[in-house]
């Protein structure tokens, strides 16, 4: 339900260069995954993944990328069925596609 496009990065590859003091960590369910949000605006920035705790999922918008323009075909997970609870399978809800109009 974050509504963000996330890309993967190894834990050692992510460096917070500004605003670390504004990040708030949230955990739920099993407590393995750590989700960071900006305490000022509420934006999701990154999370340490439950399926692979050695990687982060990083919100591409926080990297200066546009979730639609820079990623024209994005698989959308259903958000309810985690792969670790579903025999290792991801459950897709659909795909998000960006097709610019010719105006």
């Amino acid at each position: 339900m974050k509504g963000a496009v996330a890309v993967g990065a190894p834990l050692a590859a992510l460096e917070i260069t500004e605003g670390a003091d504004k990040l708030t960590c949230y955990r739920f369910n099993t407590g393995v995954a750590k989700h960071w949000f900006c305490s000022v605006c509420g934006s999701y920035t990154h999370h340490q993944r439950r399926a692979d705790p050695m990687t982060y999922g990083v919100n591409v918008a926080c990297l200066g990328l546009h979730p639609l323009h820079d990623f024209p075909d994005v698989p959308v997970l259903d958000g309810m069925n985690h792969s670790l609870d579903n025999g290792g399978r991801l459950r897709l809800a659909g795909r998000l596609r960006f097709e610019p109009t010719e105006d």
Side-chain angles (χ1 to χ4, degrees), residues 1-44:
M1 299 304 288
K2 293 177 191 149
V5 173
V7 293
L11 294 185
L14 181 69
E15 177 184 356
I16 307 296
T17 58
E18 290 183 44
D21 59 323
K22 302 284 193 263
L23 293 177
T24 298
C25 183
Y26 177 72
R27 291 181 179 193
F28 61 95
N29 197 10
T30 65
V32 174
K34 300 175 187 175
H35 302 263
W36 281 271
F37 297 85
C38 174
S39 64
V40 176
C41 70
S43 293
Y44 151 72

Side-chain angles (χ1 to χ4, degrees), residues 59-101:
N59 182 349
V60 299
C62 293
L63 301 174
L65 299 170
H66 191 285
L68 292 179
H69 299 150
D70 293 320
F71 300 88
D73 184 22
V74 179
V76 178
L77 302 180
D78 73 358
M80 296 183 338
N81 298 286
H82 194 280
S83 63
L84 292 181
D85 302 331
N86 195 30
R89 294 185 317 255
L90 295 175
R91 301 269 315 255
L92 290 180
R95 301 192 78 78
L96 180 64
R97 290 194 174 103
F98 175 72
E99 296 178 15
T101 59

